[in-house]
C-alpha cells in the first residue's frame, strides 16, 4: 500500500514539473510578444479603453505563478522523501 502511495506522489510531482515547464515556455513566448518600448507602454496604459498589459504586470504575475509551482513541487518532494 505504501508503494502505491509513493508511486502516486511521484506521478503527481512529475505532473506538476511538466506543467511548470509548459507554463514557463508559454509565458516566455507571451512576454516576448509584448511591446518592450516604455513610451509605447505608458501611452497605452494611460488610455481608459486600453486593455493591453505592460511587461511589468506580466512579469509580476509570472513570478507569482512560478512561485506557486515551486511551492507545490517542494510540498511533493518533501512527502516523497
Amino acid at each position: 500500500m505504501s508503494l502505491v502511495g509513493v508511486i502516486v506522489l511521484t506521478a503527481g510531482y512529475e505532473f506538476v514539473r511538466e506543467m511548470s515547464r509548459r507554463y514557463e515556455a508559454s509565458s516566455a513566448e507571451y512576454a516576448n510578444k509584448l511591446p518592450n518600448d516604455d513610451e509605447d507602454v505608458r501611452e497605452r496604459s494611460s488610455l481608459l479603453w486600453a486593455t493591453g498589459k505592460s511587461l511589468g504586470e506580466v512579469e509580476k504575475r509570472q513570478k507569482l505563478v512560478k512561485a506557486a509551482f515551486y511551492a507545490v513541487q517542494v510540498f511533493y518532494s518533501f512527502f516523497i522523501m
Side-chain angles (χ1 to χ4, degrees), residues 38-57:
D38 290 334
E39 200 172 294
D40 184 40
V41 170
R42 273 186 266 136
E43 181 181 336
R44 285 188 306 118
S45 64
S46 66
L47 300 175
L48 294 175
W49 57 84
T51 59
K53 293 184 178 181
S54 69
L55 188 58
E57 293 171 354

Side-chain angles (χ1 to χ4, degrees):
M1 188 65 167
S2 63
L3 177 62
V4 173
V6 171
I7 291 171
V8 169
L9 282 173
T10 305
Y13 176 75
E14 289 300 324
F15 174 75
V16 171
R17 282 184 58 201
E18 182 61 28
M19 294 304 295
S20 175
R21 283 189 214 118
R22 288 182 185 186
Y23 177 77
E24 286 187 29
S26 67
S27 64
E29 184 179 321
Y30 179 74
N32 287 336
K33 291 180 182 178
L34 289 176
N36 219 2
D37 188 14
D38 290 334
E39 200 172 294
D40 184 40
V41 170
R42 273 186 266 136
E43 181 181 336
R44 285 188 306 118
S45 64
S46 66
L47 300 175
L48 294 175
W49 57 84
T51 59
K53 293 184 178 181
S54 69
L55 188 58
E57 293 171 354
V58 171
E59 286 177 346
K60 285 180 186 178
R61 185 171 190 277
Q62 287 175 350
K63 285 183 182 181
L64 184 65
V65 172
K66 287 179 186 180
F69 272 124
Y70 180 74
V72 172
Q73 287 177 356
V74 169
F75 172 79
Y76 268 113
S77 64
F78 177 76
F79 281 103
I80 289 172
M81 297 296 159

